[in-house]
Amino acid sequence: MGRLIIASNRTATPGVPRAGGLAVALKDALDERGGGVWFGWSGEILDRETRGVRLFAEGNVDFALADLTQEEHEGYYLGYANDALWPVFHYRVDLARFDEGAFEVYESVNRRFGRLLSQLLRPEDVVWVHDYHFLLLGRELRHNGWRGPIGFFLHVPFPAPEVFTALPHHYRLAHGLAEFDLLGFQTKRDTANFRRYMVEHHGAAVLEDGRIRVFGRTIRAEAFPIGTDAEDIAALAMGVQGVASAQRLGRIIENRALVVGVDRLDYSKGLLQKVQAFGRMLDDNEEMRERVTFLQIAPPSRETVETYQDLRDQLDRLVGRINSDYSDIDTTPIRYLARGYPREVLAGIYRLARAGLVTPLYDGMNLVAKEYVAAQDPEDPGVLVLSEFAGAAEQLSTALLVNPHDTAGVAANIRRALEMPLDERKERWQVLHEAVTREDIAWWRRRFLDALDEARPA
Ligand code: ADQ
């Protein structure tokens, strides 16, 4: 069996213990195949000239890291990936900036990275490319003569064709995507969107076995819903640090029920709508005001970008307003913490929370939803309130599914979660738990790699 070669914008940091989740899963995949290479951006931004790839060996895995210039970072990462692809893939065409120059830099970074990566490849290798930063990497590897298998996994949603085609260069991206042999999406919905796009805009034919014939190539597109390391999360929730953080929080909230939300501060996560819905629940239910506390953890991400600063300001104002309406000398209804916490602390908090509020406006999967389920006490599980627009909703159908734009509906479901009898909580949770432990992160990567081994170039 050949080596596994993983390409992702950011890699795990060589030599630094992994915190869990995806980083551990991909490193395990490399180890399981007896070694390989993890290729990506070093995280460093240089003033002018770039160096080649720097290699760091860790056991039988090589980390191959390349730097970006200032201009590349601005065009490829901030400009095209963050300001055009991210909003369009999350149905926010209104927030997208289509800058011709940024697309060119995006293309040139994919070209340069493709060249660097192709120099590391050996004939029997299998390549697995991750996410929207590298939509053109397959095409570049082919240009450099690589004929072996290339898989691609998209962590974010693939939007409906009507939205994807807003990207002025969508046809170039489509050609690039067709150079992968296997395209993995989070959900059936994303896969169907991609198929429909290829059929309606590029005359693709869908073969009997589901493969897609387009641009003279035959490719596979399938759903591979990403999972979480469910057993580890459960163990962390019951571990020393998990229990200690739950106890610390428990002392502060006293006998009030805890509702928890954990997100990156990003407009796709629906934070404003979520806080509004919680405020509405307090407006509508006087008796709840003394009985519940909402803890929202949302560390700022990509702070340099204006949109994120606006979001932060709006969130601060909204939380402040609700708190000034409903706080008392000894109570604060919403605790908003703008910082990240280690997984063991989060796991402990999840287990303490009577309801997990995961209400993105759009999300590829959303692993917080699965981590919340994994961390629950089987004898007294909390209730997951989940957006129907999170990829996770396809698997987690016994959560309380909500439309995050429907403030009154979310408010009613928060209340329903808090009042749900133990029997119903257990019943719903058992189905969810079965799904997150069976379809965990190891299941995800094995399924993808097995399919990639079968999807040799045709
Ligand atoms: P993200 O948008 O980052 O990832 P998500 O799946 O919610 O979204 O979280 C990824 C990881 O980050 C989880 O392990 C979670 O616990 C952690 N995390 C999130 N918020 C945190 C916080 N406030 N503090 C500490 N840790 C936090 C993208 C896609 C998702 C998809 C993942 C994986 O946008 O839809 O689920 O990739 O494919």
PDB file of all heavy atoms in Angstrom, residues 80 85 89 103 106 135-136 164 167 169-178 197-198:
ATOM      1  N   TYR A  80      -9.640  35.556  -1.216  1.00  0.00           N
ATOM      2  CA  TYR A  80     -10.525  34.643  -1.935  1.00  0.00           C
ATOM      3  C   TYR A  80     -11.161  33.580  -1.026  1.00  0.00           C
ATOM      4  O   TYR A  80     -12.379  33.406  -1.018  1.00  0.00           O
ATOM      5  CB  TYR A  80      -9.801  33.988  -3.110  1.00  0.00           C
ATOM      6  CG  TYR A  80     -10.786  33.459  -4.121  1.00  0.00           C
ATOM      7  CD1 TYR A  80     -11.572  34.328  -4.875  1.00  0.00           C
ATOM      8  CD2 TYR A  80     -10.981  32.087  -4.284  1.00  0.00           C
ATOM      9  CE1 TYR A  80     -12.514  33.854  -5.774  1.00  0.00           C
ATOM     10  CE2 TYR A  80     -11.914  31.607  -5.189  1.00  0.00           C
ATOM     11  CZ  TYR A  80     -12.674  32.492  -5.930  1.00  0.00           C
ATOM     12  OH  TYR A  80     -13.609  32.030  -6.811  1.00  0.00           O
ATOM     13  N   LEU A  85     -15.127  32.571  -1.075  1.00  0.00           N
ATOM     14  CA  LEU A  85     -15.613  31.189  -0.972  1.00  0.00           C
ATOM     15  C   LEU A  85     -16.413  30.948   0.307  1.00  0.00           C
ATOM     16  O   LEU A  85     -17.494  30.351   0.263  1.00  0.00           O
ATOM     17  CB  LEU A  85     -14.434  30.214  -1.059  1.00  0.00           C
ATOM     18  CG  LEU A  85     -13.702  30.185  -2.412  1.00  0.00           C
ATOM     19  CD1 LEU A  85     -12.472  29.278  -2.335  1.00  0.00           C
ATOM     20  CD2 LEU A  85     -14.630  29.704  -3.527  1.00  0.00           C
ATOM     21  N   PHE A  89     -20.242  29.723   0.048  1.00  0.00           N
ATOM     22  CA  PHE A  89     -20.529  28.349   0.455  1.00  0.00           C
ATOM     23  C   PHE A  89     -21.515  28.308   1.623  1.00  0.00           C
ATOM     24  O   PHE A  89     -22.166  27.296   1.852  1.00  0.00           O
ATOM     25  CB  PHE A  89     -19.235  27.596   0.806  1.00  0.00           C
ATOM     26  CG  PHE A  89     -18.467  27.125  -0.425  1.00  0.00           C
ATOM     27  CD1 PHE A  89     -18.534  27.806  -1.624  1.00  0.00           C
ATOM     28  CD2 PHE A  89     -17.678  25.984  -0.374  1.00  0.00           C
ATOM     29  CE1 PHE A  89     -17.840  27.378  -2.751  1.00  0.00           C
ATOM     30  CE2 PHE A  89     -16.979  25.538  -1.500  1.00  0.00           C
ATOM     31  CZ  PHE A  89     -17.066  26.246  -2.693  1.00  0.00           C
ATOM     32  N   PHE A 103      -8.705  36.312  -6.790  1.00  0.00           N
ATOM     33  CA  PHE A 103      -8.827  34.999  -7.430  1.00  0.00           C
ATOM     34  C   PHE A 103      -7.509  34.592  -8.089  1.00  0.00           C
ATOM     35  O   PHE A 103      -7.077  33.438  -7.982  1.00  0.00           O
ATOM     36  CB  PHE A 103      -9.946  34.977  -8.477  1.00  0.00           C
ATOM     37  CG  PHE A 103     -10.022  33.643  -9.185  1.00  0.00           C
ATOM     38  CD1 PHE A 103     -10.554  32.537  -8.536  1.00  0.00           C
ATOM     39  CD2 PHE A 103      -9.496  33.472 -10.461  1.00  0.00           C
ATOM     40  CE1 PHE A 103     -10.584  31.288  -9.149  1.00  0.00           C
ATOM     41  CE2 PHE A 103      -9.524  32.226 -11.081  1.00  0.00           C
ATOM     42  CZ  PHE A 103     -10.074  31.135 -10.425  1.00  0.00           C
ATOM     43  N   TYR A 106      -5.207  33.385  -5.488  1.00  0.00           N
ATOM     44  CA  TYR A 106      -5.674  32.064  -5.034  1.00  0.00           C
ATOM     45  C   TYR A 106      -5.194  30.983  -6.001  1.00  0.00           C
ATOM     46  O   TYR A 106      -4.650  29.951  -5.610  1.00  0.00           O
ATOM     47  CB  TYR A 106      -7.200  32.075  -4.961  1.00  0.00           C
ATOM     48  CG  TYR A 106      -7.840  30.754  -4.573  1.00  0.00           C
ATOM     49  CD1 TYR A 106      -7.987  30.397  -3.241  1.00  0.00           C
ATOM     50  CD2 TYR A 106      -8.312  29.872  -5.546  1.00  0.00           C
ATOM     51  CE1 TYR A 106      -8.593  29.190  -2.882  1.00  0.00           C
ATOM     52  CE2 TYR A 106      -8.910  28.661  -5.203  1.00  0.00           C
ATOM     53  CZ  TYR A 106      -9.050  28.339  -3.864  1.00  0.00           C
ATOM     54  OH  TYR A 106      -9.640  27.134  -3.521  1.00  0.00           O
ATOM     55  N   LEU A 135      -9.263  24.123  -3.786  1.00  0.00           N
ATOM     56  CA  LEU A 135     -10.173  23.591  -4.808  1.00  0.00           C
ATOM     57  C   LEU A 135      -9.437  23.289  -6.114  1.00  0.00           C
ATOM     58  O   LEU A 135      -9.886  22.459  -6.903  1.00  0.00           O
ATOM     59  CB  LEU A 135     -11.307  24.595  -5.084  1.00  0.00           C
ATOM     60  CG  LEU A 135     -12.218  24.948  -3.899  1.00  0.00           C
ATOM     61  CD1 LEU A 135     -13.222  26.026  -4.295  1.00  0.00           C
ATOM     62  CD2 LEU A 135     -12.963  23.707  -3.400  1.00  0.00           C
ATOM     63  N   LEU A 136      -8.314  23.978  -6.336  1.00  0.00           N
ATOM     64  CA  LEU A 136      -7.605  23.798  -7.617  1.00  0.00           C
ATOM     65  C   LEU A 136      -6.339  22.951  -7.472  1.00  0.00           C
ATOM     66  O   LEU A 136      -5.571  22.817  -8.432  1.00  0.00           O
ATOM     67  CB  LEU A 136      -7.236  25.177  -8.197  1.00  0.00           C
ATOM     68  CG  LEU A 136      -8.439  26.100  -8.477  1.00  0.00           C
ATOM     69  CD1 LEU A 136      -7.964  27.477  -8.930  1.00  0.00           C
ATOM     70  CD2 LEU A 136      -9.349  25.475  -9.529  1.00  0.00           C
ATOM     71  N   PHE A 164     -23.837  28.833  -5.976  1.00  0.00           N
ATOM     72  CA  PHE A 164     -22.439  28.573  -6.358  1.00  0.00           C
ATOM     73  C   PHE A 164     -22.062  29.364  -7.611  1.00  0.00           C
ATOM     74  O   PHE A 164     -20.949  29.881  -7.738  1.00  0.00           O
ATOM     75  CB  PHE A 164     -22.241  27.069  -6.596  1.00  0.00           C
ATOM     76  CG  PHE A 164     -20.802  26.689  -6.832  1.00  0.00           C
ATOM     77  CD1 PHE A 164     -19.863  26.787  -5.809  1.00  0.00           C
ATOM     78  CD2 PHE A 164     -20.379  26.232  -8.071  1.00  0.00           C
ATOM     79  CE1 PHE A 164     -18.531  26.443  -6.018  1.00  0.00           C
ATOM     80  CE2 PHE A 164     -19.049  25.887  -8.292  1.00  0.00           C
ATOM     81  CZ  PHE A 164     -18.130  25.985  -7.260  1.00  0.00           C
ATOM     82  N   LEU A 167     -20.225  32.832  -7.999  1.00  0.00           N
ATOM     83  CA  LEU A 167     -18.766  32.991  -8.076  1.00  0.00           C
ATOM     84  C   LEU A 167     -18.373  33.218  -9.537  1.00  0.00           C
ATOM     85  O   LEU A 167     -18.590  32.337 -10.377  1.00  0.00           O
ATOM     86  CB  LEU A 167     -18.067  31.729  -7.550  1.00  0.00           C
ATOM     87  CG  LEU A 167     -18.089  31.536  -6.036  1.00  0.00           C
ATOM     88  CD1 LEU A 167     -17.779  30.093  -5.682  1.00  0.00           C
ATOM     89  CD2 LEU A 167     -17.091  32.477  -5.353  1.00  0.00           C
ATOM     90  N   HIS A 169     -15.812  32.880 -11.127  1.00  0.00           N
ATOM     91  CA  HIS A 169     -14.911  31.897 -11.730  1.00  0.00           C
ATOM     92  C   HIS A 169     -15.377  30.465 -11.487  1.00  0.00           C
ATOM     93  O   HIS A 169     -14.572  29.541 -11.474  1.00  0.00           O
ATOM     94  CB  HIS A 169     -13.504  32.081 -11.178  1.00  0.00           C
ATOM     95  CG  HIS A 169     -12.934  33.411 -11.534  1.00  0.00           C
ATOM     96  ND1 HIS A 169     -12.496  33.700 -12.804  1.00  0.00           N
ATOM     97  CD2 HIS A 169     -12.774  34.537 -10.807  1.00  0.00           C
ATOM     98  CE1 HIS A 169     -12.075  34.951 -12.841  1.00  0.00           C
ATOM     99  NE2 HIS A 169     -12.235  35.488 -11.650  1.00  0.00           N
ATOM    100  N   HIS A 170     -16.686  30.289 -11.305  1.00  0.00           N
ATOM    101  CA  HIS A 170     -17.140  28.955 -10.914  1.00  0.00           C
ATOM    102  C   HIS A 170     -16.773  27.900 -11.948  1.00  0.00           C
ATOM    103  O   HIS A 170     -16.493  26.753 -11.607  1.00  0.00           O
ATOM    104  CB  HIS A 170     -18.644  28.952 -10.615  1.00  0.00           C
ATOM    105  CG  HIS A 170     -19.529  29.163 -11.802  1.00  0.00           C
ATOM    106  ND1 HIS A 170     -19.913  28.134 -12.618  1.00  0.00           N
ATOM    107  CD2 HIS A 170     -20.080  30.279 -12.311  1.00  0.00           C
ATOM    108  CE1 HIS A 170     -20.684  28.625 -13.587  1.00  0.00           C
ATOM    109  NE2 HIS A 170     -20.800  29.921 -13.426  1.00  0.00           N
ATOM    110  N   TYR A 171     -16.734  28.293 -13.230  1.00  0.00           N
ATOM    111  CA  TYR A 171     -16.414  27.284 -14.255  1.00  0.00           C
ATOM    112  C   TYR A 171     -14.964  26.821 -14.120  1.00  0.00           C
ATOM    113  O   TYR A 171     -14.653  25.663 -14.352  1.00  0.00           O
ATOM    114  CB  TYR A 171     -16.697  27.836 -15.666  1.00  0.00           C
ATOM    115  CG  TYR A 171     -16.151  29.227 -15.901  1.00  0.00           C
ATOM    116  CD1 TYR A 171     -14.886  29.407 -16.428  1.00  0.00           C
ATOM    117  CD2 TYR A 171     -16.910  30.355 -15.544  1.00  0.00           C
ATOM    118  CE1 TYR A 171     -14.369  30.687 -16.607  1.00  0.00           C
ATOM    119  CE2 TYR A 171     -16.397  31.629 -15.713  1.00  0.00           C
ATOM    120  CZ  TYR A 171     -15.121  31.797 -16.242  1.00  0.00           C
ATOM    121  OH  TYR A 171     -14.604  33.055 -16.400  1.00  0.00           O
ATOM    122  N   ARG A 172     -14.069  27.722 -13.700  1.00  0.00           N
ATOM    123  CA  ARG A 172     -12.673  27.317 -13.493  1.00  0.00           C
ATOM    124  C   ARG A 172     -12.581  26.368 -12.293  1.00  0.00           C
ATOM    125  O   ARG A 172     -11.847  25.379 -12.300  1.00  0.00           O
ATOM    126  CB  ARG A 172     -11.785  28.537 -13.233  1.00  0.00           C
ATOM    127  CG  ARG A 172     -11.773  29.544 -14.373  1.00  0.00           C
ATOM    128  CD  ARG A 172     -10.550  29.330 -15.278  1.00  0.00           C
ATOM    129  NE  ARG A 172      -9.374  29.957 -14.719  1.00  0.00           N
ATOM    130  CZ  ARG A 172      -9.081  31.266 -14.824  1.00  0.00           C
ATOM    131  NH1 ARG A 172      -9.906  32.062 -15.468  1.00  0.00           N
ATOM    132  NH2 ARG A 172      -7.977  31.745 -14.321  1.00  0.00           N
ATOM    133  N   LEU A 173     -13.363  26.700 -11.273  1.00  0.00           N
ATOM    134  CA  LEU A 173     -13.367  25.837 -10.083  1.00  0.00           C
ATOM    135  C   LEU A 173     -13.927  24.462 -10.449  1.00  0.00           C
ATOM    136  O   LEU A 173     -13.429  23.433  -9.994  1.00  0.00           O
ATOM    137  CB  LEU A 173     -14.207  26.465  -8.965  1.00  0.00           C
ATOM    138  CG  LEU A 173     -13.733  27.851  -8.478  1.00  0.00           C
ATOM    139  CD1 LEU A 173     -14.692  28.404  -7.425  1.00  0.00           C
ATOM    140  CD2 LEU A 173     -12.315  27.773  -7.907  1.00  0.00           C
ATOM    141  N   ALA A 174     -14.965  24.443 -11.297  1.00  0.00           N
ATOM    142  CA  ALA A 174     -15.579  23.172 -11.688  1.00  0.00           C
ATOM    143  C   ALA A 174     -14.560  22.281 -12.411  1.00  0.00           C
ATOM    144  O   ALA A 174     -14.455  21.082 -12.128  1.00  0.00           O
ATOM    145  CB  ALA A 174     -16.784  23.426 -12.590  1.00  0.00           C
ATOM    146  N   HIS A 175     -13.798  22.871 -13.318  1.00  0.00           N
ATOM    147  CA  HIS A 175     -12.763  22.099 -14.009  1.00  0.00           C
ATOM    148  C   HIS A 175     -11.758  21.543 -12.999  1.00  0.00           C
ATOM    149  O   HIS A 175     -11.316  20.411 -13.100  1.00  0.00           O
ATOM    150  CB  HIS A 175     -12.030  22.970 -15.037  1.00  0.00           C
ATOM    151  CG  HIS A 175     -12.753  23.051 -16.346  1.00  0.00           C
ATOM    152  ND1 HIS A 175     -12.564  22.123 -17.353  1.00  0.00           N
ATOM    153  CD2 HIS A 175     -13.674  23.932 -16.801  1.00  0.00           C
ATOM    154  CE1 HIS A 175     -13.343  22.441 -18.379  1.00  0.00           C
ATOM    155  NE2 HIS A 175     -14.033  23.530 -18.077  1.00  0.00           N
ATOM    156  N   GLY A 176     -11.410  22.385 -12.038  1.00  0.00           N
ATOM    157  CA  GLY A 176     -10.461  21.956 -11.006  1.00  0.00           C
ATOM    158  C   GLY A 176     -11.019  20.791 -10.206  1.00  0.00           C
ATOM    159  O   GLY A 176     -10.346  19.786  -9.978  1.00  0.00           O
ATOM    160  N   LEU A 177     -12.285  20.911  -9.802  1.00  0.00           N
ATOM    161  CA  LEU A 177     -12.896  19.864  -8.967  1.00  0.00           C
ATOM    162  C   LEU A 177     -12.963  18.526  -9.711  1.00  0.00           C
ATOM    163  O   LEU A 177     -12.849  17.458  -9.109  1.00  0.00           O
ATOM    164  CB  LEU A 177     -14.301  20.299  -8.522  1.00  0.00           C
ATOM    165  CG  LEU A 177     -14.324  21.411  -7.468  1.00  0.00           C
ATOM    166  CD1 LEU A 177     -15.745  21.931  -7.252  1.00  0.00           C
ATOM    167  CD2 LEU A 177     -13.738  20.915  -6.147  1.00  0.00           C
ATOM    168  N   ALA A 178     -13.147  18.603 -11.017  1.00  0.00           N
ATOM    169  CA  ALA A 178     -13.276  17.367 -11.802  1.00  0.00           C
ATOM    170  C   ALA A 178     -11.946  16.607 -11.901  1.00  0.00           C
ATOM    171  O   ALA A 178     -11.918  15.475 -12.380  1.00  0.00           O
ATOM    172  CB  ALA A 178     -13.816  17.681 -13.193  1.00  0.00           C
ATOM    173  N   TYR A 197     -25.265  20.767 -10.014  1.00  0.00           N
ATOM    174  CA  TYR A 197     -24.444  21.828 -10.620  1.00  0.00           C
ATOM    175  C   TYR A 197     -23.686  21.285 -11.833  1.00  0.00           C
ATOM    176  O   TYR A 197     -23.674  21.906 -12.901  1.00  0.00           O
ATOM    177  CB  TYR A 197     -23.473  22.383  -9.571  1.00  0.00           C
ATOM    178  CG  TYR A 197     -22.384  23.233 -10.177  1.00  0.00           C
ATOM    179  CD1 TYR A 197     -22.685  24.475 -10.745  1.00  0.00           C
ATOM    180  CD2 TYR A 197     -21.066  22.784 -10.220  1.00  0.00           C
ATOM    181  CE1 TYR A 197     -21.694  25.248 -11.339  1.00  0.00           C
ATOM    182  CE2 TYR A 197     -20.074  23.552 -10.805  1.00  0.00           C
ATOM    183  CZ  TYR A 197     -20.389  24.779 -11.366  1.00  0.00           C
ATOM    184  OH  TYR A 197     -19.417  25.531 -11.962  1.00  0.00           O
ATOM    185  N   MET A 198     -23.071  20.128 -11.688  1.00  0.00           N
ATOM    186  CA  MET A 198     -22.285  19.555 -12.786  1.00  0.00           C
ATOM    187  C   MET A 198     -23.192  19.179 -13.971  1.00  0.00           C
ATOM    188  O   MET A 198     -22.817  19.365 -15.127  1.00  0.00           O
ATOM    189  CB  MET A 198     -21.512  18.317 -12.302  1.00  0.00           C
ATOM    190  CG  MET A 198     -20.283  18.672 -11.486  1.00  0.00           C
ATOM    191  SD  MET A 198     -19.129  19.701 -12.446  1.00  0.00           S
ATOM    192  CE  MET A 198     -17.618  19.549 -11.528  1.00  0.00           C
TER     193      MET A 198
END
